Amino acid sequence: MNGGKYKHELVKNTVWNALENYSMIGIQLLCTFILARYLTPADFGIVGMLVVFTAISQTLVDSGFGAALIREKEVSQTGYSSVFYANLLISVCLYYILYVCSGAIAHFYNQPILDEICKYSFLVLPLNALCIVQTTILRRELRFKKLCVITVTAALLSSIVAIVSAYFLKNVWALVIQNVSLFGFRTLFLWLSSRWHPTLDFSWSLISKYFSFSKNILVAGLVGSIFNNIYSLLIGKYYTATDLGYFSQADRVKNVASHTSTSVVQNVTYPILSRVNNEGGDLQHAYKKIICVTMLFVGCIMAFVIGISSDLFEVLMGSTAWRRSGFYFLLLGISGILFPLHAVNQNILMVVGKSKTLMYLEIARRCIMMLILLVTVRYSISIFVFGNSIYSIILLFLNLHYCGQPIHYSIAQQLKDVAPILLRQALIIALGLSVTYLLSQQVIYLRLLLAMASMTIFGYYLFRNNDYYKEIRAYMIQRIHGH
């Protein structure tokens, strides 16, 4: 494949991969807004209690074999079949263990209904195991368009099933049905459309070979699965299902607004920084530009949502009860705004080859998180949630120090560069919250409209002469006109 064709394929498949991920997020988020009109926050919280068990189990089921197969130059039928049976065996064993432990899980959370829910919810494990190899083959063959169509179709159908179920059942089982049907539809479509099917071949030597590579991915995945879901675990244990329902939706919207937007930027910053470094360019200048543009773009999205968070959640979720999620979103706001800095900082360490520093930072990050969790879990749910933002502030200084060292970019200089952007965004948030408070007696839709309009106009006034805003605006205009 020549360079031009390779570049074209890379761009095309990146677009389809992004479309798959963002469409999935969008469909499920829209479905949640509809389901919230029939279900209670506690229903969402009860399902959220099982997320950590599902995430850890899914990581164990895959065991990194998918990544191991993708990196192989050639994979035989025996190789694919061996991984298929290994995935399926692990999933069945884990499902059996979780089935037997369903009563213990229900007792842990003091939610008797979980005893029955676990037995059905964890069916996603064997269902997913049945299609891991098919998914891997499509990724190896760069057939992301087909994968996108299958995933989006499954998400749409499972959402429709969930909405119909919620309309008639009006309880937590609608969410269980949504999760199981999503994996069921996806597995069915992959089997119907795949040219590959397992044969009665198995090789322990191939499994050992793949596992020698995948074991590190497995360990990293397990650590990530635990820490990414630890808030749900602790809120479900030490607070209430209703609290977890409010938190889970606030955190979900925060991730869409902050993490998803950042990933768009992060995917292109690593190759850009690598090129600058390899060509002997000014890495500090490039890094400064990237963090400022990212902070402006993602931070303004977060600031806009934070300013109207309570009203926004009430309108989207269809009930005043969900205003509590808006309050939690406000508490999580700092971590959402600062997330781009953490993400881009990781890229700079990889570019300059400081993988050991990155590992030490990861260890320090987990230790700091555990310390904050141990302290804040003793207090109210509001303090516990705000602890996430405290963690982000501490992590900010840690990242700025160690990531700035290799390119001689001090903490003071970095703060000097991003502070004007953060200050303006804080003013936008303050305006949105003030308008919402002053117009609290007005109709919510009018209040939302006026708050959004005032933040938009004020934001434009604050950033209209900012060089990074001009760059973002010029880039968007260029993309709209197709240049």
Side-chain angles (χ1 to χ4, degrees):
M1 184 180 289
N2 60 50
K5 187 176 180 181
Y6 175 78
K7 183 177 180 181
H8 173 72
E9 285 292 310
L10 180 63
V11 171
K12 182 180 72 173
N13 286 301
T14 299
V15 169
W16 280 112
N17 188 36
L19 186 61
E20 176 192 355
N21 293 330
Y22 299 147
S23 296
M24 179 85 163
I25 292 170
I27 291 168
Q28 291 191 324
L29 204 57
L30 181 60
C31 179
T32 297
F33 296 153
I34 298 173
L35 292 177
R37 284 156 170 76
Y38 301 104
L39 308 178
T40 66
D43 291 330
F44 288 92
I46 287 170
V47 171
M49 291 174 181
L50 303 181
V51 168
V52 65
F53 298 100
T54 304
I56 292 172
S57 298
Q58 294 284 33
T59 302
L60 288 169
V61 169
D62 179 70
S63 294
F65 287 140
L69 290 175
I70 289 174
R71 72 185 288 271
E72 289 291 310
K73 188 174 182 180
E74 292 183 5
V75 182
S76 65
Q77 173 66 19
T78 302
Y80 283 131
S81 294
S82 298
V83 170
F84 174 82
Y85 291 121
N87 290 152
L88 189 58
L89 178 62
I90 295 170
S91 71
V92 171
C93 290
L94 286 173
Y95 175 72
Y96 176 75
I97 292 170
L98 291 170
Y99 186 98
V100 172
C101 293
S102 58
I105 294 172
H107 178 73
F108 175 78
Y109 286 117
N110 195 28
Q111 293 287 342
I113 193 174
L114 282 176
D115 188 5
E116 195 68 20
I117 288 176
C118 287
K119 295 169 182 174
Y120 293 93
S121 287
F122 294 134
L123 283 171
V124 300
L125 300 178
L127 284 173
N128 185 49
L130 287 169
C131 67
I132 290 176
V133 171
Q134 286 88 337
T135 302
T136 301
I137 291 173
L138 289 178
R139 293 189 183 281
R140 269 181 60 87
E141 297 175 353
L142 301 180
R143 298 169 68 189
F144 289 95
K145 179 180 179 180
K146 184 175 182 178
L147 199 56
C148 174
V149 171
I150 289 173
T151 301
V152 171
T153 303
L156 277 171
L157 289 176
S158 64
S159 295
I160 292 171
V161 170
I163 292 168
V164 173
S165 300
Y167 179 78
F168 287 104
L169 299 176
K170 292 183 174 58
N171 60 34
V172 67
W173 287 101
L175 295 172
V176 176
I177 291 170
Q178 180 188 23
N179 291 335
V180 175
S181 63
L182 172 62
F183 284 92
F185 282 128
R186 191 170 184 274
T187 299
L188 176 64
F189 296 150
L190 282 166
W191 271 77
L192 290 176
S193 62
S194 176
R195 297 189 300 268
W196 179 87
H197 293 96
T199 54
L200 297 176
D201 298 302
F202 189 85
S203 170
W204 278 111
S205 61
L206 285 176
I207 291 296
S208 298
K209 174 189 172 184
Y210 298 146
F211 189 69
S212 64
F213 168 79
S214 68
K215 60 186 177 184
N216 294 324
I217 296 175
L218 172 61
V219 172
L222 286 174
V223 173
S225 296
I226 293 169
F227 280 93
N228 290 340
N229 296 285
I230 197 165
Y231 271 87
S232 295
L233 177 70
L234 293 177
I235 291 175
K237 172 63 177 175
Y238 294 105
Y239 300 96
T240 67
T242 301
D243 287 327
L244 180 54
Y246 290 140
F247 170 82
S248 62
Q249 299 313 311
D251 189 55
R252 191 175 185 182
V253 174
K254 184 207 76 173
N255 289 339
V256 171
S258 178
H259 294 208
T260 305
S261 302
T262 300
S263 68
V264 175
V265 180
Q266 191 179 20
N267 287 338
V268 297
T269 57
Y270 181 63
I272 290 174
L273 289 171
S274 296
R275 181 178 298 178
V276 171
N277 187 53
N278 292 335
E279 294 175 357
D282 189 347
L283 196 57
Q284 183 189 118
H285 176 74
Y287 171 69
K288 171 185 173 181
K289 185 174 180 179
I290 287 171
I291 61 171
C292 288
V293 168
T294 308
M295 287 294 296
L296 179 60
F297 176 65
V298 179
C300 282
I301 293 175
M302 280 296 300
F304 195 83
V305 179
I306 291 171
I308 56 172
S309 57
S310 293
D311 283 348
L312 185 64
F313 272 90
E314 179 180 343
V315 169
L316 292 176
M317 307 296 268
S319 168
T320 56
W322 287 100
R323 293 183 69 85
R324 190 68 182 176
S325 279
F327 175 64
Y328 289 165
F329 186 90
L330 175 65
L331 297 177
L332 292 167
I334 294 176
S335 67
I337 290 175
L338 294 181
F339 179 77
L341 275 175
H342 307 323
V344 178
N345 277 332
Q346 289 181 345
N347 278 350
I348 200 72
L349 286 176
M350 289 190 291
V351 166
V352 297
K354 297 287 185 179
S355 59
K356 185 175 288 188
T357 302
L358 190 60
M359 181 187 71
Y360 290 148
L361 275 176
E362 187 69 13
I363 295 172
R365 183 164 78 93
R366 302 304 186 187
C367 291
I368 292 170
M369 175 183 279
M370 287 303 300
L371 180 62
I372 290 175
L373 288 173
L374 288 172
V375 172
T376 57
V377 77
R378 304 179 184 188
Y379 299 96
S380 69
I381 179 69
S382 298
I383 293 176
F384 183 71
V385 173
F386 186 63
N388 189 266
S389 288
I390 296 173
Y391 161 70
S392 290
I393 294 172
I394 296 172
L395 188 62
L396 170 68
F397 288 95
L398 199 64
N399 277 336
L400 292 183
H401 174 70
Y402 287 102
C403 299
Q405 275 186 338
I407 56 174
H408 309 293
Y409 195 17
S410 67
I411 291 182
Q413 187 59 50
Q414 291 182 70
L415 290 176
K416 181 181 177 182
D417 291 332
V418 300
I421 296 174
L422 292 173
L423 179 61
R424 288 176 172 87
Q425 290 165 351
L427 291 174
I428 293 172
I429 293 171
L431 177 64
L433 294 175
S434 298
V435 171
T436 301
Y437 175 75
L438 292 172
L439 300 178
S440 58
Q441 301 304 313
Q442 300 298 320
V443 177
I444 188 169
Y445 293 101
L446 175 62
R447 190 165 66 232
L448 259 178
L449 181 63
L450 291 175
M452 289 189 292
S454 61
M455 284 193 295
T456 302
I457 295 170
F458 187 51
Y460 173 74
Y461 172 78
L462 291 176
F463 286 107
R464 70 189 190 285
N465 294 321
N466 183 276
D467 291 336
Y468 302 111
Y469 164 75
K470 291 178 181 178
E471 287 198 29
I472 294 174
R473 184 172 177 271
Y475 174 78
M476 289 184 171
I477 292 174
Q478 187 182 47
R479 299 300 296 176
I480 290 172
H481 288 86
H483 298 303

